[in-house]
Amino acid sequence: MTSNQHTHKDNHEHDQKDNHSGDGGGHANHEEIFRRKFWISTLLSIPVLVFSETVQGWLGYSIPEFPFSNWITPVFSIIVFIVGGLPFFSMAKGELKDKQPGMMTLISMALAVAFAYSLASTLFNLESSFYWELVTLIDIMLLGHWIEIRSVRQASGALQELSKLMPDEANLVTEDDEVRTVRVSSLEKGDVVLIRPGESTPADGEIIKGESSMDESMITGESKPISKKMGDKVVSGTINGDGSLRVKITATGDETTLAGIMRLVEEAQQSKSKTQILADKAAGWLFYIALGVAVITAVAWLIAIGWDVNVLNRVTAVLVTACPHALGLAIPLVVAISTSIGASKGILVRDRIALESTRNLDVFVFDKTGTLTKGEFGLRDMISSDDVDDDRTLAIAAALEGDSEHPIAKAIRQAADKKGLENPEVSNFKAIKGKGVKGKIEGEDFHVGGPNLLKDFDIDLKGDVQDFYQTASKKGQTIVFLITADEIMGAFALADQVREESKETVKKLHAAGYEVAMLTGDDEAVAKSVADELGIDTYFAEVLPENKDEKIQSLQDEGNKVAMVGDGVNDAPALTRADVGIAIGSGTDVAIESAGIILVDNDPRDILRIIKLSKATYKKMVQNLVWATGYNVIALPLAAGVLAPFGILLPPAVGALIMSLSTVIVAVNAQLLRRVRNEI
Ligand code: ADP
Ligand code: MG
């Protein structure tokens, strides 16, 4: 526990230092304000308690009267009310403005009743007052609120951890090759920076000189350093190894990968889950229930004992006890903790509902290229029609693929580069999703693409090309064709590799009772060989992007809850359609934007982690909800005084204590979710 406290303290100091750069500064301030208010109010409450006649009676002492001694209790109480009580009223105003009366409104009503009555008793000399109850109530409320803000801040540490990765300063290399230290915020695209060994990368960029290994674990979760050389990309926030690098900046500030990840985490923490919506509703109901119980209590006591200060005591106790403090905390804390556990394991949850739905899925549908396979193709073989040579065919294909993001395109470009080919100029480039690409070269129309493109052209394979196709597809290689004037001008056989982790994932999903299917726009033969290798029983080949979406829909129509895992532009509609869309982190931006969960490490095995995290998170949410609403079943009647015949009455401050205690229990229970980190 001691070491824990130590870390908290450290974090806290860090926060204050980092306020200018990080997010969450507002939270820390808020926390500080309530901490201070709590201590001031508590100190000022001491004289109120010491001079209170009730407390004197309990402890059996009495303070002799002296001039104005009667004023000590009311004056200090009023100060406590102004310092510690009024903030709750302004928060209640916010709730009422949003037409969502809740916790703050209840607290304010309780404080208002207690304060107004006490003031009246002083002014009109009534026989009893309410001051000590009022001040202890305020103190306990302030304490509860302070602890609440603190635990939310600690739980949402993920975002702050990320913002700490960014250095404040960078080494700018000027045009005359001098190195100057500048603030990171002043860097611009195109600037060259020097990254010395051990320094962290100030912006996204491309290495123009030097080589080194980079620790990218904070971004990808991959713990092994990645070696980088000239031409490779580096990502802001990652840490340089032993080499020194000169990097030309390609993205700064909000455009960097790190900023993107931070945005996603923030989005996730703000996106409302179904349970959160339920909790908000419950808090709303609780307000009216509390109000109802308070009125009934007042009426019942008035009938039973007539007008008495005890009636107010009961009403205040009811209002205070019913404060849905715990309910307000029940879900957000769990959300914050599960998001940060996920982030630490390379799982970015963008959409809370996606994580929540993961626990009751039936079918996992995987895209093939780039998801189950690495999506890193190599050109293995090619063939050209009789009247052209291979170099020309390859150069044309590479030129057409120039602007495509597809892994096949990259492989063809690389092959042409390696041969040092001069690619011709292309105009009218267009990607045909799930089929290939097209463009114009020297006035002629060309297409490059796979089986779906052949279907469009109604071309049947024959002769050499057919032999080529059969040999390559037996090896499970992907084949694409260069087509012009309705004829095949050449064909390319490309090999991809199945991710090792895919096999394990499929096996474990099967073992856990899930159905697994594969969707691909690639050729039937390739699809079969990959499916066989991975032990996937259902696969659909030569599927167009819009049909991927339909396939998901039809699985859903059969009553299944479906997850789609994909990486490509062509997977985006299916990712959106699925109950849970999971994108591979190295995939295209569209896929990532369409998915609810992102696998930063590109490791399909993380899907098994998501399932466990989802189940554990949901369990915690339910436990917290049940506790946060359930304690009222006992506490409210107690506060209303149903046990009065047995001499058991709940003073408002004890009500506040019970209420705060339930908040603490909910907070502690949420923290227990952290244990899942070691289990997933
Ligand atoms: P998957 O569904 O397996 O991820 P895609 O839908 O991205 O694959 O692609 C399906 C098929 O479309 C590929 O196997 C290939 O035949 C063809 N294709 C798509 N884009 C290109 C491209 N840029 N160049 C050549 N062929 C392409
Ligand atoms: Mg793909």
Side-chain angles (χ1 to χ4, degrees):
M1 193 63 207
T2 1
S3 72
N4 230 335
Q5 278 168 350
H6 193 69
T7 2
H8 287 168
K9 194 163 159 278
D10 287 352
N11 278 343
H12 194 66
E13 279 163 4
H14 223 111
D15 281 342
Q16 294 180 332
K17 208 177 71 197
D18 274 354
N19 267 353
H20 63 279
S21 64
D23 150 276
H27 234 111
N29 275 337
H30 212 59
E31 180 182 333
E32 185 52 30
I33 292 171
F34 274 89
R35 190 180 71 94
R36 217 174 297 150
K37 283 192 185 297
F38 165 71
W39 285 115
I40 295 173
S41 298
T42 306
L43 277 179
L44 293 173
S45 300
I46 294 173
V48 178
L49 289 176
V50 170
F51 282 86
S52 143
E53 276 166 27
T54 324
V55 176
Q56 290 184 21
W58 282 350
L59 300 181
Y61 67 91
S62 64
I63 296 175
E65 285 200 17
F66 53 85
F68 300 112
S69 67
N70 286 339
W71 285 97
I72 288 182
T73 299
V75 167
F76 276 89
S77 299
I78 291 170
I79 300 175
V80 170
F81 181 74
I82 292 171
V83 172
L86 289 185
F88 291 104
F89 284 82
S90 60
M91 289 190 279
K93 216 162 83 190
E95 284 184 356
L96 292 175
K97 221 185 201 155
D98 295 344
K99 298 208 170 64
Q100 276 178 334
M103 171 161 70
M104 294 304 158
T105 315
L106 282 176
I107 296 176
S108 304
M109 281 166 51
L111 293 181
V113 170
F115 183 68
Y117 178 75
S118 300
L119 209 59
S121 78
T122 304
L123 295 178
F124 307 115
N125 246 332
L126 305 181
E127 90 270 14
S128 67
S129 70
F130 224 60
Y131 287 118
W132 78 267
E133 282 100 333
L134 174 70
V135 295
T136 39
L137 185 59
I138 291 174
D139 295 341
I140 290 170
M141 288 298 181
L142 286 172
L143 178 65
H145 203 65
W146 168 34
I147 290 178
E148 173 183 336
I149 302 173
R150 208 176 85 147
S151 33
V152 169
R153 173 181 62 80
Q154 282 166 358
S156 42
L159 210 60
Q160 248 151 22
E161 289 303 313
L162 286 173
S163 71
K164 276 188 220 152
L165 294 175
M166 278 302 289
D168 287 334
E169 292 178 334
N171 315 310
L172 180 72
V173 182
T174 59
E175 267 158 33
D176 33 359
D177 212 30
E178 270 171 49
V179 178
R180 264 195 302 137
T181 307
V182 297
R183 293 202 64 78
V184 167
S185 52
S186 69
L187 292 177
E188 281 173 20
K189 251 183 248 177
D191 282 350
V192 175
V193 289
L194 169 68
I195 306 172
R196 301 197 173 93
E199 285 182 347
S200 58
T201 312
D204 289 4
E206 200 181 296
I207 301 176
I208 53 170
K209 198 174 156 198
E211 51 187 79
S212 184
S213 57
M214 303 295 288
D215 176 1
E216 300 194 328
S217 58
M218 54 297 277
I219 307 286
T220 63
E222 169 65 57
S223 53
K224 275 193 296 267
I226 314 287
S227 61
K228 301 255 171 169
K229 54 180 189 322
M230 214 173 102
D232 285 343
K233 298 207 164 26
V234 292
V235 171
S236 62
T238 57
I239 295 171
N240 188 11
D242 293 333
S244 119
L245 299 173
R246 287 183 186 229
V247 169
K248 186 164 184 167
I249 294 175
T250 53
T252 59
D254 281 351
E255 293 170 3
T256 60
T257 312
L258 183 65
I261 293 180
M262 284 173 63
R263 257 196 310 275
L264 292 182
V265 173
E266 208 179 336
E267 251 173 58
Q269 288 180 343
Q270 282 166 2
S271 77
K272 280 208 170 180
S273 62
K274 280 181 198 154
T275 29
Q276 177 66 65
I277 294 164
L278 184 68
D280 288 350
K281 270 203 195 123
W285 294 330
L286 207 55
F287 172 79
Y288 293 105
I289 292 173
L291 210 60
V293 174
V295 170
I296 295 169
T297 306
V299 172
W301 279 94
L302 281 175
I303 293 171
I305 59 172
W307 167 246
D308 187 277
V309 64
N310 271 319
V311 177
L312 281 183
N313 237 325
R314 297 282 71 74
V315 171
T316 319
V318 166
L319 290 175
V320 171
T321 310
C323 280
H325 233 241
L327 206 53
L329 211 54
I331 307 300
L333 264 187
V334 177
V335 166
I337 293 170
S338 90
T339 321
S340 67
I341 293 177
S344 75
K345 296 281 182 182
I347 299 163
L348 273 188
V349 182
R350 276 188 66 215
D351 176 11
R352 303 297 318 168
I353 295 184
L355 183 67
E356 241 169 272
S357 313
T358 306
R359 88 201 135 82
N360 44 24
L361 288 170
D362 305 303
V363 187
F364 280 84
V365 180
F366 288 87
D367 161 61
K368 178 182 76 74
T369 319
T371 301
L372 290 172
T373 70
K374 288 188 178 150
E376 292 163 7
F377 285 93
L379 181 63
R380 287 298 141 83
D381 202 359
M382 63 173 293
I383 184 176
S384 305
S385 57
D386 300 336
D387 44 346
V388 280
D389 65 24
D390 278 359
D391 283 357
R392 172 82 180 147
T393 311
L394 185 58
I396 291 179
L400 288 165
E401 296 283 21
D403 285 349
S404 167
E405 89 300 342
H406 205 277
I408 292 178
K410 201 169 149 199
I412 292 181
R413 285 199 303 263
Q414 275 170 351
D417 275 355
K418 217 152 118 200
K419 284 186 144 186
L421 299 179
E422 195 80 35
N423 300 343
E425 194 98 7
V426 180
S427 60
N428 299 2
F429 166 85
K430 200 161 186 285
I432 318 164
K433 267 185 249 154
K435 294 182 182 173
V437 294
K438 69 173 182 183
K440 239 186 193 15
I441 294 175
E442 292 153 17
E444 263 183 275
D445 282 323
F446 287 94
H447 285 78
V448 184
N452 288 321
L453 190 70
L454 283 191
K455 275 184 223 157
D456 283 0
F457 277 92
D458 223 359
I459 296 178
D460 285 326
L461 300 178
K462 48 183 185 290
D464 287 352
V465 181
Q466 185 169 24
D467 293 343
F468 176 84
Y469 171 83
Q470 268 166 358
T471 325
S473 65
K474 260 193 215 113
K475 293 185 212 152
Q477 291 172 346
T478 293
I479 299 132
V480 296
F481 305 90
L482 174 64
I483 300 170
T484 183
D486 292 352
E487 293 284 346
I488 293 177
M489 182 174 160
F492 306 87
L494 303 118
D496 192 4
Q497 273 174 324
V498 166
R499 288 182 203 272
E500 260 321 298
E501 306 85 33
S502 301
K503 244 178 248 178
E504 192 183 331
T505 309
V506 172
K507 206 164 128 197
K508 287 198 171 148
L509 284 174
H510 273 151
Y514 294 101
E515 263 182 64
V516 179
M518 184 178 89
L519 279 183
T520 178
D522 207 344
D523 190 86
E524 164 76 27
V526 185
K528 184 167 177 359
S529 97
V530 172
D532 286 349
E533 186 174 348
L534 292 173
I536 295 177
D537 24 66
T538 325
Y539 67 88
F540 307 94
E542 297 169 33
V543 189
L544 289 171
E546 51 275 25
N547 302 347
K548 283 195 174 184
D549 177 26
E550 271 166 29
K551 281 273 182 313
I552 303 284
Q553 174 84 66
S554 72
L555 282 168
Q556 285 172 329
D557 289 345
E558 288 164 23
N560 293 305
K561 292 266 178 237
V562 184
M564 167 78 198
V565 193
D567 71 309
V569 179
N570 57 330
D571 299 319
L575 286 169
T576 316
R577 168 79 60 199
D579 296 281
V580 179
I582 302 172
I584 297 289
S586 63
T588 54
D589 291 347
V590 203
I592 289 173
E593 287 297 321
S594 314
I597 301 176
I598 295 131
L599 306 181
V600 185
D601 301 353
N602 311 324
D603 185 347
R605 283 179 304 184
D606 283 343
I607 290 170
L608 303 157
R609 294 202 165 119
I610 304 176
I611 298 172
K612 280 189 196 151
L613 183 61
S614 168
K615 287 185 173 161
T617 304
Y618 187 74
K619 205 166 103 188
K620 273 283 167 267
M621 286 182 173
V622 171
Q623 281 172 359
N624 270 0
L625 273 189
V626 167
W627 176 262
T629 45
Y631 90 99
N632 280 305
V633 175
I634 296 170
L636 265 193
L638 212 62
V642 288
L643 291 186
F646 307 99
I648 300 177
L649 285 171
L650 212 64
V654 176
L657 209 61
I658 293 180
M659 193 273 291
S660 300
L661 205 63
S662 80
T663 311
V664 171
I665 290 175
V666 163
V668 169
N669 189 39
Q671 294 294 334
L672 292 181
L673 183 61
R674 289 191 192 279
R675 286 192 298 202
V676 179
R677 191 195 296 263
N678 305 324
E679 290 161 18
I680 67 172

